[in-house]
Amino acid sequence: MRPEHPIVLITGASSGFGEAMARLLASQGCHLALGARRVERVQALADELTKAHGVKVFAGAVDTRHTASVDTFVAEAAAALGGLHVLVANAGLASGTYKMWETPDEDLEAMMRTNVEGVVKTIRAGLPHLRKAGWGHVFFIGSTAGHQPYEGGSVYCASKFGVKAMAHSLRLELNGEQIRVTSVDPGMAETEFSNVRLKNGDKAKAVYQGVKPLTAMDVAECVRWCLMLPDHVNIDEILVKCVDQASVHKLHRRA
């Protein structure tokens, strides 16, 4: 059932986890469909990976908040590559550290539309291609915030609890089909995440001070491992943190 070169669609592929997944999976011989709002970055990445690994890579613009954008990207990717086997609903963000009653509409809508609606739209558009192929794997990129809420993160945590719920629901709905469903839920990881959330480079840097956080490639390795396991094995959920992070509220910082 498993294709020799699985075709993997990744949203949010211009940086962070998405870019790392693209690099690692290309090295494993996967063909790729890379989407992001910063299309020039995914096009440059696509060119680099094709040259380095000889895989087919489609790059396209996608804003997962908008149905038409997602549908167009997925359709064009599947047409260019001859189908799809794996969906990685990676696009997501946190915006601000507001208390619930302080959260502006702009930040509220950015998080809920990207982290929840965007995931639904990506999977809704891509799933028919996995079913047509007869073999597939869907990855949700969640967070420890979907397991343990914290102050200043009410909306972001709610969105990631939603991702966890969707992963569990989809696994139930697809039971009996040869499509695996995995949620990879990282803790503290040093990417552009804090820059986007805090909109301040110095504050973002301070988040990781004295800590050795996860890297984007650490999270990509979780995806690679799950994908490469035998077809009868499904890893439902990976909750992964750096050693310095025991929980959301307990973090060891070196002097």
Side-chain angles (χ1 to χ4, degrees):
M1 298 287 287
R2 179 190 296 263
E4 183 178 358
H5 298 282
I7 303 169
V8 182
L9 182 144
I10 305 171
T11 60
S14 61
S15 64
F17 298 156
E19 179 184 354
M21 291 173 205
R23 292 184 180 281
L24 185 56
L25 295 179
S27 74
Q28 303 292 300
C30 294
H31 301 311
L32 302 170
L34 306 180
R37 288 182 291 175
R38 296 178 291 187
V39 67
E40 69 286 346
R41 292 184 65 165
V42 286
Q43 186 60 65
L45 179 61
D47 294 341
E48 177 189 340
L49 296 179
T50 297
K51 183 177 180 180
H53 303 290
V55 294
K56 299 177 183 177
V57 186
F58 171 84
V62 65
D63 185 337
T64 61
R65 297 172 298 178
H66 300 292
T67 300
S69 177
V70 174
D71 290 349
T72 298
F73 169 67
V74 171
E76 290 180 351
L81 298 172
L84 297 172
H85 301 109
V86 181
L87 304 176
V88 185
N90 170 68
L93 58 86
S95 187
T97 55
Y98 305 101
K99 294 180 174 64
M100 186 185 298
W101 61 87
E102 297 171 339
T103 309
D105 279 353
E106 180 182 359
D107 298 271
L108 167 65
E109 291 167 7
M111 287 185 278
M112 296 306 291
R113 293 193 64 195
T114 304
N115 299 354
V116 178
E117 292 182 31
V119 170
V120 173
K121 291 172 181 180
T122 299
I123 293 170
R124 186 175 63 191
L127 193 57
H129 298 283
L130 275 60
R131 283 176 154 153
K132 182 178 179 180
W135 181 92
H137 203 144
V138 177
F139 285 94
F140 293 78
I141 305 302
S143 170
T144 53
H147 296 258
Q148 184 179 13
Y150 54 85
E151 303 91 329
S154 57
V155 175
Y156 177 68
C157 292
S159 73
K160 289 302 185 178
F161 267 85
V163 169
K164 181 179 179 180
M166 289 189 290
H168 281 273
S169 294
L170 185 65
R171 192 175 300 112
L172 294 169
E173 292 163 351
L174 291 177
N175 184 241
E177 300 186 47
Q178 190 56 50
I179 299 176
R180 300 184 291 187
V181 177
T182 298
S183 181
V184 178
D185 301 348
M188 176 181 282
E190 189 167 10
T191 63
E192 293 182 3
F193 177 87
S194 290
N195 296 80
V196 172
R197 182 176 208 171
L198 302 175
K199 302 175 180 64
N200 181 298
D202 291 337
K203 289 183 179 180
K205 186 176 180 180
V207 170
Y208 309 105
Q209 186 172 356
V211 176
K212 187 173 183 179
L214 297 174
T215 68
M217 195 56 74
D218 295 330
V219 176
E221 172 59 22
C222 293
V223 171
R224 185 208 64 81
W225 177 68
C226 293
L227 179 60
M228 298 303 174
L229 287 170
D231 288 350
H232 70 288
V233 179
N234 186 86
I235 303 300
D236 286 11
E237 185 176 88
I238 292 182
L239 182 62
V240 54
K241 304 189 294 291
C242 64
V243 173
D244 288 334
Q245 185 180 24
S247 74
V248 169
H249 291 98
K250 188 171 179 62
L251 190 68
H252 173 69
R253 295 187 187 273
R254 297 168 181 80

